[in-house]
Amino acid sequence: MNKITDTFTLRNGYGIPCIGFGTWQTPDGCTAVSAVKMATSCGYRHIDAAAVYSNEKSVGKGIAESSVKREDLFITSKVWNTERGYEKTKAAFAKTCKDLCVDYLDLYLIHWPASKSRYDNWEQINLDTWRAMTELYKEGKILAIGVSNFMPHHLKALMQTEVKPMVNQIEFHPGQMQNETVEFCRKNGIVVEAWSPLGTGKMLTNQTLLKIAEKYQKSVAQLCIRWCLQNEVLPLPKTVTPSRIEENAEVFDFVISEEDMKTINAMEYCGGSGLEPDNVKF
């Protein structure tokens, strides 16, 4: 990857820009509008949204007020847990498109898997949700479909369907690499995206990362984003600070050495959210 508009290629041949602009925890209203506009002005062409973030109308306004044409943007959203299932997923998709003021999505994800800790028919719930998304994909209303926070045992049933998942967005940052899930995705042609690539900011004060970042005269945030890319994982950094939005895009003028990559890859668990897909209560 040499620039922010370079792409990972999905299993259907569609390109997804290699760094996404995250909107999780971005306050609704003028903050979200300004952040999205700033991101597009800094070169981001990949916007990652979700219904549960409760800011899609503002994200959509930011997109509409940007100087970038819709067809030049890659827009992602996600169906929330309360809307899983065939009919609810169809309705949730329609509402998201209305809120974002778009008539199609580039990528739509199941935000979290239904799991056996909460549902006896968890696998069927996921399959019914996937069936709705598959129909929307075949109708051209979604250009790619995937999942988020799915582990290998959640993915197996979907891998037997007509249209297989193209993306899995998971928590991924130094100290939490989820190697088993990443390896499963790689073997099965699923692009891995990293939510919280900065560990919700917890990475920024890590002494190991600070020391390595200083060597490259880069911030820890830039180091973590570059580290994701060199691990062939697509990072989704989130910030509303204009200078940091710009800084997070400037990661193509250095390469982390093999030795430093090994050091970061070997970091013990730290800075994780603690959310486990099989045990979440939402």
Side-chain angles (χ1 to χ4, degrees), residues 19-60:
I19 298 179
F21 182 70
T23 59
W24 178 45
Q25 295 182 329
T26 298
D28 193 27
C30 61
T31 300
V33 174
S34 297
V36 170
K37 290 171 66 177
M38 179 66 186
T40 58
S41 72
C42 289
Y44 292 84
R45 294 296 180 265
H46 177 177
I47 308 297
D48 184 78
V52 78
Y53 299 167
S54 300
N55 58 11
E56 286 197 320
K57 289 183 178 180
S58 297
V59 170

Side-chain angles (χ1 to χ4, degrees), residues 202-216:
K202 296 171 186 174
M203 298 295 102
L204 303 183
T205 55
N206 182 278
Q207 292 303 306
T208 297
L209 298 177
L210 282 164
K211 184 177 179 181
I212 295 174
E214 184 178 7
K215 181 189 302 186
Y216 298 97

